[in-house]
Amino acid sequence: MATKKKKLSSLFPDWSQFPEELLHLISKNLDNCFDVVHARSVCTSWRSAFPFPSSLLRPRYSLPSFVKYPLESKELCTLEKVPLFLFRVRAPDGDAAEYFMGGIARDESDDHLELPSPLQCSVKVQIPGTEPTLMNILDCQIFSLGHQYRMIGCNPKDCGGVTFLPLNKEGGEFVVLLLNYTNVWLALRSAEMRWRELKELSTAACRELFTFRGRFYASFFNGDKFVIDPSSLEATPLTPHNESNFLVPCGNDELFLVKTDFPTCRVSRLDEEAGKWVEVSDLGDRVLFIGGHRGNFCCSAKELPQGCGLTGNSILFTLGPRNVTFPYKYGVHNNTGNAEDDISCWRSSMENRVMILNKYFPVLAFQVER
């Protein structure tokens, strides 16, 4: 038996003997955070040589509790940053692929985990209503979609939305904007570490809350939209006022407004210098994901896992009661065949059918059929 084990071990290189200078060179040239995770799974010495990717960490901030506001409390709550990713799962059927969109966290036992195989690296997928399953990310394509924030250590119903804005590159100074369960807007500056109330922004429930180019943005189900300055905490209304509008930030480069009037929609880009929205017909290589309470995202079709079955200059709505949707494209003719139909808008393209397999927070699962 010992001889057999010796023969098997001789078939595989001893990666623990890899030269340190080459490990350092490799670590400097790994741009994808999951490539780093793969490298850390090789052996113990590689795990020590490659720090866990900061983009996968969930930084936490201890803040005064807001639950009993306006009463002051010595209790604490925790703000957590949640990185979001899109996973493509390889399927035996070449005409269909499954995708998972959601947050990911590091296993607290990562540094003590004994892997059954040195090249195995998995993430636990937890979809509400199902048992958690392990997914080997060596067989996945993965794309970063940014991050969201959530409050932990309190009842989820106590917080209707929260976001975080660093005031410097080091992140030592920050402002937190939060909507509590009584629909009261609260803000906290790190220099003061106490909650202060903002004037009421809207009587409706908050739909979207995010940051863009150093300012807070909030939109509501009745169509109200505001931009909030982090220094003065003054809120300025944004037009147009329409309850079927969705704001979609593309990093800090562009902010898009998607105005829906199903079965069509129109897209505008914010011109900050002119202070107005400019209608566009071309998103370039971008794909806009409209996900409602899960958040809206924008990314490059070329960077998506195998295109994700989607092409650039398109919009995918993953919210709504139906479990079947299609990408929206500009200039698509209506299936009525009426030559007088307006094609200067975005309409369902029937390009590839998208089946929504799960839409319950925090994981969106969908399948693109080609």
Side-chain angles (χ1 to χ4, degrees):
M1 181 65 70
T3 304
K4 186 176 181 180
K5 285 184 178 181
K6 187 175 181 180
K7 287 182 178 180
L8 286 174
S9 62
S10 64
L11 296 176
F12 300 97
D14 185 357
W15 294 107
S16 64
Q17 301 302 314
F18 206 74
E20 286 189 18
E21 59 272 18
L22 293 182
L23 277 179
H24 179 68
L25 185 62
I26 293 172
S27 66
K28 290 175 58 179
N29 289 277
L30 291 183
D31 297 326
N32 186 293
C33 60
F34 284 95
D35 288 340
V36 177
V37 174
H38 293 159
R40 283 171 56 86
S41 70
V42 171
C43 61
T44 303
S45 61
W46 283 50
R47 183 178 295 264
S48 302
F50 293 85
F52 193 86
S54 59
S55 60
L56 292 182
L57 295 175
R58 290 191 172 196
R60 294 182 175 183
Y61 302 84
S62 292
L63 307 175
S65 176
F66 60 92
V67 176
K68 297 179 181 179
Y69 184 88
L71 299 177
E72 292 189 8
S73 173
K74 294 183 179 180
E75 297 179 357
L76 297 176
C77 58
T78 302
L79 177 70
E80 183 180 48
K81 182 179 180 180
V82 183
L84 301 174
F85 295 91
L86 179 69
F87 293 76
R88 178 186 185 272
V89 182
R90 294 180 182 176
D93 184 357
D95 294 329
E98 289 188 4
Y99 300 87
F100 295 90
M101 183 187 296
I104 187 171
R106 175 185 182 182
D107 190 326
E108 297 295 336
S109 62
D110 176 74
D111 287 324
H112 309 286
L113 190 63
E114 292 186 7
L115 300 174
S117 166
L119 292 177
Q120 185 181 50
C121 191
S122 301
V123 295
K124 183 183 293 184
V125 178
Q126 174 68 70
I127 296 178
T130 65
E131 292 294 323
T133 59
L134 286 176
M135 183 169 64
N136 192 331
I137 62 173
L138 290 174
D139 295 328
C140 295
Q141 292 174 298
I142 307 168
F143 181 76
S144 174
L145 293 176
H147 57 267
Q148 290 180 338
Y149 289 90
R150 68 170 185 169
M151 298 298 298
I152 58 178
C154 61
N155 191 320
K157 294 181 180 179
D158 290 336
C159 181
V162 64
T163 192
F164 173 96
L165 184 63
L167 299 180
N168 53 25
K169 291 183 179 180
E170 295 76 21
E173 298 181 19
F174 58 84
V175 179
V176 177
L177 188 63
L178 177 143
L179 179 64
N180 75 0
Y181 70 102
T182 59
N183 213 34
V184 173
W185 284 93
L186 301 174
L188 178 145
R189 291 191 177 100
S190 57
E192 302 170 343
M193 289 303 282
R194 66 180 180 88
W195 296 103
R196 64 166 61 188
E197 184 174 342
L198 277 65
K199 67 178 181 180
E200 183 180 52
L201 299 182
S202 175
T203 57
C206 182
R207 169 185 270 168
E208 299 153 352
L209 179 61
F210 60 92
T211 60
F212 177 73
R213 290 186 179 177
R215 296 193 289 179
F216 295 107
Y217 284 77
S219 70
F220 300 82
F221 280 95
N222 66 350
D224 290 340
K225 295 173 183 63
F226 295 89
V227 55
I228 304 164
D229 182 86
S231 299
S232 65
L233 297 178
E234 290 290 326
T236 304
L238 280 175
T239 56
H241 179 97
N242 186 297
E243 61 187 55
S244 297
N245 288 348
F246 298 92
L247 294 173
V248 188
C250 294
N252 275 326
D253 298 327
E254 303 279 7
L255 179 62
F256 291 101
L257 175 73
V258 179
K259 180 181 178 181
T260 60
D261 185 14
F262 291 112
T264 65
C265 64
R266 298 183 182 276
V267 181
S268 299
R269 175 184 58 82
L270 179 63
D271 185 336
E272 283 194 300
E273 292 186 3
K276 64 179 182 179
W277 295 97
V278 180
E279 189 166 332
V280 297
S281 59
D282 188 0
L283 298 173
D285 183 48
R286 297 183 180 97
V287 178
L288 306 187
F289 287 86
I290 310 296
H293 68 277
R294 187 176 286 101
N296 305 322
F297 305 96
C298 173
C299 45
S300 166
K302 292 179 181 178
E303 294 178 343
L304 286 172
Q306 288 199 355
C308 196
L310 304 171
T311 57
N313 198 31
S314 62
I315 306 169
L316 183 65
F317 291 88
T318 62
L319 73 173
R322 299 183 61 196
N323 291 326
V324 178
T325 185
F326 293 87
Y328 275 57
K329 306 285 287 187
Y330 187 84
V332 174
H333 283 276
N334 200 340
N335 55 15
T336 62
N338 190 345
E340 297 180 356
D341 285 338
D342 183 12
I343 63 171
S344 59
C345 60
W346 301 74
R347 184 181 278 113
S348 180
S349 65
M350 311 300 284
E351 185 178 68
N352 289 318
R353 188 169 72 163
V354 179
M355 300 292 295
I356 307 298
L357 307 177
N358 177 83
K359 61 177 65 176
Y360 295 104
F361 189 82
V363 177
L364 170 73
F366 62 96
Q367 183 181 78
V368 180
E369 300 177 352
R370 310 189 186 201

